[in-house]
């Protein structure tokens, strides 16, 4: 085929696949039936009745998934597509340019099409996130829905139906219309709200009221691998309830008719933390309640996702205002959407008692150290990392310290700490980021329709709270290259990042839980339980010695590798001129590597700056 014919074919294919979405209501209601009862094989079976006029019809499988910030629609797990009309099979054709689009010719006399397909949940971790086990299932409606192109998703009405395994209970923001045994019919709603309303179901299920007696319910819907994992004590439930009240005092509004935490405690069901307007998907490993003290750091997840009901779902960046699920999202303001949510998630966890304030300080120290040592800042500003959900989609990286990833989350947290302390300083402690939260997210109380914002809107709100040059303040931190992380806010809060030869007890416990040994700030890497190197610091000691991720430490100074001998070797090298000798295995090759390092072990912690106000303590105090 000639070059001209190739270009012409591409142009025609693009023109054929492109259908601008309109706000006109879609004629008729789509009836969606999902059979999620086959937990033995992890197969969801879907049937749809889609009203349609005779002629060309394009059906879309959702590609751009809110909360994932990228084109993560699981088209690779979509299978078995059959389309028919009036009982007769119809041929379909996948679009050659947009592989998420399927074209069908609806015959004369037909009033719609019947669609069948399957969503094949991964059966192994290497295939993706597991959404179905013997005891738990999660329904993400974008994975089990085809919808007609050419219409705004808010203008398409769907009546969803679900079959769950016998006897299972479920939690969701969806409102049931009728339940007959294990078949549930939900009230019709628009497609955008449906896809924003996932469901968790389980053999073992418990619903906990987090705001007893309130007109607007907030519920913690817990599913787990066993009944034992559901056993939460009143003392454990109390800080979750306090977190809800602290959020209300912070944002001074509610933008949902009810809110449902979907919470899975499982070693088999895929872990997750994803926001929705009236619910959130949350998945942690076993032990959240029954090993309460051990897993304290996990408790920030719920406060983070709850914050998203205000920040990310009610108030959304203007670039997220797209007509359907196959129009690209623009992520330039994710440092507000996710970064400020990361900040409030940590603050609310401390204010409510989910995490002790002193342990929150330890977590901030770990964040500050990590980003203060990101070598990739030299070539890539944090603003550019908002593109990572599209560029990398959270795939593993060989050189994360140099490549950078979704740093707008936690580096964004440091930027908002900077803004909070700056407001407090300039106002003589009379104003804070709390006031910004009430002003920016607290508008239109009771309204659950998204209200979009721009960078200028953020700057205007900050200036309303406390006049200052907020635009250059933010841009210098977002577009700058360091050196080091934006730690001015930490200093203004009355604390500084330091390194000690021993980790804090809390961070040591987190290291033990991860089953890794952290030498990042001394030797420039961490070591997994099986001796593999990870998280290498670009241009660090290990890097300069030629080490890479995946290398395996076999021995330390002639002795079989274990974390303690390596720690001892680093300590001993402080008073010795001899390098630390590592026997390294890379594939089938063994080699000895000498690390000429003599500065001892280094672990991050925060230290008070004498003579300064402790604004961090004030920030973490519960609101009255």
């Amino acid at each position: 085929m000639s070059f001209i014919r190739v270009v012409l074919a591409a142009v025609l294919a693009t023109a054929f696949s492109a259908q601008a979405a309109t706000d006109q209501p879609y004629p008729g209601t789509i009836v969606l039936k999902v059979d999620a009862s086959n937990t033995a094989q992890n197969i969801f079976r879907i049937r749809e009745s889609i009203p349609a006029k005779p002629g060309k019809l394009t059906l879309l499988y959702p590609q751009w998934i809110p909360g994932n910030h990228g084109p993560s629609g699981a088209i690779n797990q979509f299978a078995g597509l059959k389309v028919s009309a009036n009982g007769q099979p119809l041929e379909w054709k996948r679009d050659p340019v947009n592989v998420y689009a399927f074209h069908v010719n609806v015959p004369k006399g037909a009033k719609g099409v019947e669609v069948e397909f399957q969503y094949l949940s991964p059966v192994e971790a290497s295939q993706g996130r597991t959404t179905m086990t013997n005891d738990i299932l999660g329904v993400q409606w974008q994975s089990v829905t085809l919808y007609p192109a050419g219409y705004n998703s808010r203008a398409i009405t769907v009546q969803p139906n679900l079959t769950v395994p016998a006897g299972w209970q479920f939690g969701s923001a969806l409102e049931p219309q009728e339940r007959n045994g294990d078949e549930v019919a939900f009230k019709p709603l628009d497609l955008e709200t449906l896809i924003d309303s996932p469901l968790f179901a389980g053999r073992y299920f418990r619903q906990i009221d987090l705001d007893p007696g309130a007109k607007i319910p907030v519920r913690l819907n817990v599913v787990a691998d066993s009944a034992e994992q559901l056993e939460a004590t009143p003392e454990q439930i109390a800080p979750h309830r306090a977190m809800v009240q602290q959020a209300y005092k912070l944002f001074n509004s509610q933008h949902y008719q009810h809110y449902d935490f979907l919470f899975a405690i499982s070693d088999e069901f895929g872990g997750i933390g994803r926001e929705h307007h009236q619910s959130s998907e949350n998945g942690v490993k076993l032990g959240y309640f029954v090993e309460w003290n051990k897993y304290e750091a996990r408790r920030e997840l719920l406060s983070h996702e709850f914050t998203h009901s205000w920040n990310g779902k009610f108030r959304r960046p203007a670039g997220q205002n797209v007509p359907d699920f196959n129009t690209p999202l623009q992520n330039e303001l994710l440092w507000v959407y996710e970064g400020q949510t990361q900040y409030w998630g940590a603050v609310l966890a401390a204010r409510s008692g989910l995490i002790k304030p002193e342990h929150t300080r330890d977590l901030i120290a770990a964040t500050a150290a990590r980003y203060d040592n990101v070598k990739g800042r030299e070539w890539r500003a944090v603003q550019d990392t908002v593109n990572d959900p599209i560029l990398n989609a959270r795939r593993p990286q060989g050189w994360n310290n140099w490549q950078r990833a979704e740093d707008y989350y936690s580096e964004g947290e440091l930027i908002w700490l900077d803004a909070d302390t700056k407001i407090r300083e300039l106002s003589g402690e009379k104003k804070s980021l709390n006031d910004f939260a009430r002003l920016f997210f607290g508008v239109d109380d009771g309204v659950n329709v998204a209200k979009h914002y721009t960078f200028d809107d953020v700057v205007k709100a900050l200036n309303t709270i406390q006049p200052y040059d907020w635009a250059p303040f933010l841009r210098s931190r977002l577009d700058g290259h360091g050196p080091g992380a934006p730690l001015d806010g930490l200093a203004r809060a009355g604390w500084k990042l330091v390194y000690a030869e021993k980790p804090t007890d809390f961070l040591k416990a987190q290291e033990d839980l991860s089953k890794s040994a952290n030498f990042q700030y001394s030797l420039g890497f961490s070591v997994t339980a099986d001796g593999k190197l990870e998280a290498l610091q670009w241009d660090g000691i290990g890097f300069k010695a030629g080490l890479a991720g995946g290398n395996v430490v076999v021995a330390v100074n002639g002795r079989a590798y274990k974390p303690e001998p390596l720690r001892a070797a680093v300590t001993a090298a402080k008073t010795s001129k001899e390098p630390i000798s590592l026997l390294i295995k890379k594939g089938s090759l063994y080699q000895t590597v000498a690390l000429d390092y003599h500065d001892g072990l280094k672990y991050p912690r925060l230290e008070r700056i004498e003579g300064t106000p402790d604004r961090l303590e004030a920030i973490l105090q519960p609101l009255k």
Side-chain angles (χ1 to χ4, degrees):
M1 184 181 290
S2 68
F3 174 76
I4 294 177
R5 289 176 65 192
V6 170
V7 173
L8 181 60
V11 170
L12 290 174
T14 302
F16 183 55
S17 65
Q19 290 183 255
T22 69
D23 274 329
Q24 294 297 318
Y26 187 73
T29 296
I30 296 173
V31 177
L32 170 65
K33 296 182 178 180
V34 178
D35 185 344
S37 62
N38 188 355
T39 59
Q41 296 176 301
N42 294 18
I43 298 172
F44 294 80
R45 297 188 180 276
I46 298 95
R47 298 178 65 94
E48 284 186 85
S49 297
I50 303 176
K53 297 178 181 178
K56 292 181 179 179
L57 172 67
T58 298
L59 298 175
L60 299 175
Y61 190 72
Q63 179 181 14
W64 289 79
I65 310 304
N68 277 17
H69 312 311
S72 59
I75 193 72
N76 59 312
Q77 290 154 6
F78 170 96
L81 178 60
K82 296 180 181 179
V83 184
S84 63
N86 294 333
Q88 299 299 313
L90 301 178
E91 291 294 327
W92 57 266
K93 184 176 182 181
R94 192 190 300 265
D95 191 272
V97 175
N98 178 7
V99 296
Y100 286 76
F102 303 88
H103 303 298
V104 179
N105 286 314
V106 181
K108 292 181 179 180
K111 295 183 179 181
V113 296
E114 300 293 322
V115 175
E116 296 180 37
F117 64 94
Q118 300 85 45
Y119 171 67
L120 309 175
S121 175
V123 295
E124 295 181 1
S126 62
Q127 299 167 358
R129 178 178 168 267
T130 300
T131 57
M132 183 181 280
T133 74
N134 289 327
D135 301 304
I136 301 173
L137 67 87
V139 179
Q140 297 177 319
W141 298 101
Q142 73 269 11
S143 298
V144 294
T145 303
L146 284 171
Y147 70 97
Y151 291 84
N152 193 307
S153 58
R154 292 184 288 269
I156 300 172
T157 301
V158 183
Q159 194 275 301
N161 301 267
L162 178 67
T163 301
V164 297
W168 284 28
Q169 295 175 275
F170 64 87
S172 176
L174 293 179
E175 297 186 9
Q177 187 172 26
E178 180 183 1
R179 179 163 187 171
N180 183 13
D182 302 317
E183 297 182 359
V184 186
F186 296 97
K187 293 180 181 179
L189 70 170
D190 66 273
L191 178 65
E192 182 177 277
T193 305
L194 172 65
I195 288 183
D196 195 39
S197 305
L199 178 149
F200 278 11
R203 185 188 311 277
Y204 307 104
F205 177 90
R206 180 183 180 185
Q207 187 176 85
I208 301 171
D209 187 350
L210 293 186
D211 197 4
K215 292 182 179 179
I216 300 178
V218 178
R219 300 173 290 232
L220 181 64
N221 302 278
V222 190
V223 291
D225 288 350
S226 67
E228 175 196 22
Q229 295 293 322
L230 305 176
E231 295 176 2
T233 67
E235 293 74 21
Q236 294 167 345
I237 294 171
H240 294 84
R241 288 176 171 165
M243 182 265 292
V244 172
Q245 296 307 315
Q246 284 297 311
Y248 289 165
K249 291 175 181 179
L250 175 63
F251 298 116
N252 197 33
S253 61
Q254 295 162 297
H255 300 289
Y256 43 79
Q257 296 174 342
H258 49 83
Y259 190 92
D260 285 87
F261 289 98
L262 311 181
F263 190 45
I265 305 173
S266 174
D267 282 346
E268 298 180 21
F269 188 71
I272 191 171
R274 186 173 301 165
E275 67 274 12
H276 302 280
H277 203 146
Q278 299 191 111
S279 63
S280 57
E281 298 172 90
N282 309 275
V284 298
K285 296 294 185 181
L286 295 179
Y288 184 85
F289 290 123
V290 299
E291 296 180 90
W292 180 250
N293 293 329
K294 185 177 180 180
Y295 294 109
E296 184 178 351
R298 292 180 180 178
R299 298 180 213 151
E300 194 176 310
L301 174 62
L302 295 181
S303 55
H304 177 105
E305 301 304 340
F306 192 42
T307 296
H308 269 315
S309 182
W310 290 268
N311 183 14
K313 302 310 292 186
F314 171 59
R315 295 307 306 267
R316 301 184 197 180
Q320 305 276 311
N321 186 16
V322 294
D324 59 30
F325 297 101
N326 292 71
T327 300
L329 299 167
Q330 297 179 41
N331 289 341
E332 67 272 12
L333 291 174
L334 284 183
W335 54 272
V336 185
Y337 180 137
E338 293 289 4
Q340 194 174 138
T341 296
Q342 191 79 0
Y343 181 70
W344 289 130
V347 169
L348 287 174
R351 288 177 180 176
S352 63
L354 281 170
I355 298 179
K356 294 177 181 178
E358 59 268 30
H359 294 165
T360 298
R361 288 200 303 267
D362 287 346
L363 292 171
I364 292 173
T367 298
R370 177 182 175 188
Y371 289 99
D372 204 39
N373 288 276
V374 168
K375 196 70 173 177
R377 180 176 281 102
E378 293 180 5
W379 73 276
R380 190 179 185 195
V382 70
Q383 176 65 74
D384 187 61
T385 69
V386 301
N387 297 302
D388 251 67
I390 302 168
L391 296 171
N392 191 53
R394 298 183 177 174
R395 290 186 291 265
Q397 293 178 310
W399 299 99
N400 177 272
N401 183 263
W402 182 242
Q403 293 169 276
R404 308 202 70 174
E406 295 180 50
D407 292 350
Y408 54 85
Y409 275 88
S410 295
E411 190 166 328
E413 178 184 357
L414 296 175
I415 291 172
W416 286 109
L417 173 64
D418 203 350
D420 195 350
T421 56
K422 191 67 177 178
I423 294 171
R424 291 170 186 263
E425 179 187 61
L426 291 172
S427 68
E429 316 305 326
K430 295 178 181 178
K431 297 288 184 179
S432 70
L433 203 64
N434 296 333
D435 299 286
F436 172 88
R438 294 188 187 100
L439 174 68
F440 198 69
F441 303 113
V443 296
D444 301 338
D445 183 27
V447 174
N448 62 1
V449 177
K451 188 179 184 70
H452 297 88
Y453 63 85
T454 64
F455 176 82
D456 290 342
D457 292 328
V458 176
V459 170
K460 180 181 178 181
L462 286 168
N463 273 312
T464 299
I465 299 304
Q466 176 60 54
Y468 186 63
D469 293 329
W470 288 110
F473 174 94
L474 293 171
R475 290 262 55 100
S476 64
R477 287 152 178 79
L478 294 165
D479 302 328
H481 294 278
L487 300 184
D488 289 352
L490 191 58
R492 205 179 295 114
W495 295 81
K496 62 181 177 181
L497 174 66
V498 298
Y499 296 89
E501 292 192 349
K502 291 184 178 181
T504 66
D505 290 342
F506 184 70
L507 291 182
K508 178 63 168 64
Q510 302 313 305
E511 183 179 327
D512 291 343
L513 278 176
S514 68
K515 298 180 180 179
S516 66
N518 185 355
F519 298 94
Q520 289 184 45
Y521 309 114
S522 51
L523 301 180
F525 52 75
S526 289
V527 190
T528 66
D530 55 0
K532 286 186 179 180
L533 299 186
E534 61 179 2
L536 270 88
Q537 302 282 336
W538 188 268
D539 279 345
I541 297 297
F543 177 94
K544 290 177 179 178
L547 298 177
N551 290 179
V552 178
V553 183
V554 178
V556 180
N557 290 343
R559 295 183 179 274
Y561 168 76
K562 287 184 180 179
E564 282 309 320
L566 182 51
R567 293 188 185 104
V570 175
T571 300
K574 289 178 62 179
T575 56
S576 170
K577 295 182 179 180
E578 295 299 317
I580 300 166
S581 177
L582 301 182
L583 178 60
I584 298 294
K585 181 177 183 292
K586 181 181 181 182
S588 59
L589 176 67
Y590 289 81
Q591 60 180 330
T592 299
V593 174
L595 302 181
D596 193 15
Y597 175 78
H598 305 279
D599 290 336
L601 294 167
K602 294 182 180 181
Y603 298 98
R605 63 175 65 205
L606 296 187
E607 184 177 280
R608 278 286 285 129
I609 302 174
E610 294 297 331
T612 63
D614 189 349
R615 294 191 175 101
L616 186 56
E617 181 183 19
I619 288 168
L620 301 182
Q621 284 295 310
L623 296 177
K624 303 298 184 182

